[in-house]
């Protein structure tokens, strides 16, 4: 039987607070990749250009899911590709402009934004990412796979849920990811594993966008640093906080590592 293990990236493999991949996590990935009939997957909300922190570790992953499931590869071959409808993007921009909320655009490689404000600066600084270029019309010329709404106004988010045809994932206290309803990590995993038989699926994550993949897995693991109760309730196990640097010992304790 194959064992296929998908990991989220931010605050599952990589600590956004300390900007490192903990030593035990590196050791875990290396040993898992060398186990017979064991295959690794990465499932992240980031696009392909924003995973450089993995370095050579990226080569350990047979399966790669980017932008919350909008793009997926197996052995570096594109399997799934789902951009957001341009009219839907136009609708979101119109709704956001009424509240002076900035919208971000996540493309295959680059990221853009409609305008800069304080909420944008909070998010950019918190995640230590390059400032996106201001291009409010980029969606007219380039495929967009995910939108960002830079707001902490939950009442506003609740008010627009029925006015858009996109799924919303809180990714920070100051922002939300918006993706097509046919794009999530669980759906991307299903596309990648079509035709596979006799396998055990393990999924590890910390975010709201990990709930579906953790729930669908044979063994679902939530990081204890997660702030999402629903994720922890769906999980079979709770792993130590990423900054405790104990993920290798944890995988040993639940006998995923021999």
């Amino acid at each position: 039987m194959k064992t296929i293990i998908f990991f989220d990236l931010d605050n599952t493999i990589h600590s956004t607070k300390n900007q490192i991949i903990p030593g035990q996590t590196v050791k875990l990935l290396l040993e898992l990749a060398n186990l017979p009939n064991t295959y690794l997957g990465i499932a992240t909300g980031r696009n392909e250009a924003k995973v450089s922190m993995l370095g050579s570790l990226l080569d350990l992953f047979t399966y790669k899911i980017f932008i919350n499931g909008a793009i997926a590869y197996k052995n570096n071959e594109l399997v799934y590709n789902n951009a957001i409808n341009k009219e839907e993007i136009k609708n979101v921009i119109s709704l956001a402009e009424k509240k002076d909320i900035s919208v971000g655009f996540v493309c295959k490689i680059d990221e853009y934004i409609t305008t800069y404000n304080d909420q944008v600066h909070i998010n950019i600084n918190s995640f230590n990412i390059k400032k996106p270029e201001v291009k409010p019309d980029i969606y007219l010329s380039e495929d967009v796979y995910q939108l960002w709404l830079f707001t902490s106004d939950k009442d506003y988010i609740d008010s627009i849920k029925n006015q858009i045809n996109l799924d919303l994932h809180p990714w920070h206290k100051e922002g939300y990811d918006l993706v097509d309803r046919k794009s999530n990590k669980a759906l991307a995993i299903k596309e990648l594993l079509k035709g596979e038989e006799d396998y055990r699926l393990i999924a590890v994550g910390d975010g709201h966008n990990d709930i579906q993949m953790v729930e669908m897995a044979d063994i679902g693991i939530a990081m204890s640093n997660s702030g999402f109760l629903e994720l922890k309730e769906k999980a079979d196990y709770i792993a130590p906080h990423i900054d405790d640097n104990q993920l290798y010992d944890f995988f040993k304790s639940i006998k995923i590592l021999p």
Side-chain angles (χ1 to χ4, degrees):
M1 175 188 290
K2 291 181 180 179
T3 295
I4 301 172
I5 311 174
F6 278 88
F7 291 87
D8 171 49
L9 178 55
D10 289 300
N11 294 318
T12 297
I13 288 177
H14 178 258
S15 169
T16 56
K17 175 185 176 182
N18 295 321
Q19 292 296 305
I20 61 168
I21 300 175
Q24 279 215 9
T25 303
V26 174
K27 182 180 179 182
L28 171 66
L29 294 174
L30 291 169
E31 289 204 17
L32 287 173
N34 283 317
L35 289 178
N37 295 316
T38 300
Y39 302 87
L40 301 185
I42 187 79
T44 178
R46 292 174 178 252
N47 66 14
E48 298 172 47
K50 296 295 187 291
V51 296
S52 59
M53 74 285 287
L54 287 169
S56 61
L57 293 175
L58 187 61
D59 295 332
L60 301 178
F61 296 94
T62 300
Y63 306 98
K64 301 180 183 76
I65 295 171
F66 299 104
I67 319 180
N68 285 322
I71 297 176
Y73 294 89
K74 179 180 179 180
N75 293 320
N76 295 320
E77 180 179 342
L78 183 65
V79 172
Y80 190 69
N81 184 70
N82 184 41
I84 300 175
N85 178 277
K86 295 185 187 303
E87 286 300 314
E88 189 62 42
I89 296 172
K90 184 178 178 181
N91 178 43
V92 170
I93 293 171
S94 176
L95 291 169
E97 284 177 343
K98 294 174 182 177
K99 290 283 188 176
D100 294 323
I101 292 170
S102 183
V103 178
F105 309 100
V106 181
C107 301
K108 191 171 186 290
I109 301 298
D110 293 315
E111 298 160 350
Y112 305 93
I113 200 165
T114 55
T115 186
Y116 273 94
N117 57 30
D118 289 343
Q119 298 277 25
V120 174
H121 286 295
I122 290 171
N123 278 273
I124 297 302
N125 292 335
S126 295
F127 278 83
N128 194 31
I129 60 178
K130 187 178 104 176
K131 291 182 178 180
E133 186 177 351
V134 175
K135 279 194 175 182
D137 296 330
I138 189 65
Y139 70 98
L140 297 175
S141 59
E142 192 168 336
D143 282 340
V144 173
Y145 294 89
Q146 179 171 274
L147 300 175
W148 293 329
L149 279 181
F150 292 92
T151 178
S152 58
D153 188 344
K154 189 175 182 303
D155 290 337
Y156 166 76
I157 292 297
D158 289 339
S159 73
I160 68 166
K161 281 182 178 178
N162 294 327
Q163 300 180 61
I164 62 174
N165 294 307
L166 301 171
D167 284 337
L168 294 102
H169 298 291
W171 59 279
H172 189 280
K173 65 182 179 180
E174 305 291 341
Y176 290 79
D177 289 338
L178 282 70
V179 293
D180 187 274
R181 287 177 178 163
K182 293 180 182 177
S183 294
N184 65 56
K185 295 181 182 183
L187 288 174
I189 290 171
K190 288 178 182 178
E191 290 291 328
L192 288 170
L193 300 187
K194 275 183 179 177
E196 293 279 5
E197 297 180 356
D198 194 27
Y199 64 85
R200 174 180 64 161
L201 177 64
I202 301 171
V204 191
D206 78 296
H208 186 273
N209 57 351
D210 298 317
I211 292 172
Q212 290 155 311
M213 78 167 184
V214 164
E215 182 179 18
M216 74 176 279
D218 298 302
I219 301 175
I221 300 171
M223 301 295 290
S224 67
N225 45 273
S226 173
F228 298 99
L229 180 60
E230 183 181 358
L231 176 68
K232 293 178 177 179
E233 290 174 342
K234 301 287 187 186
D236 299 293
Y237 295 99
I238 306 297
H241 193 291
I242 185 171
D243 293 323
D244 289 342
N245 190 22
Q246 295 176 354
L247 203 57
Y248 180 90
D249 292 341
F250 170 76
F251 268 66
K252 277 276 194 184
S253 72
I254 62 174
K255 305 190 185 318
I256 294 176
L257 272 176

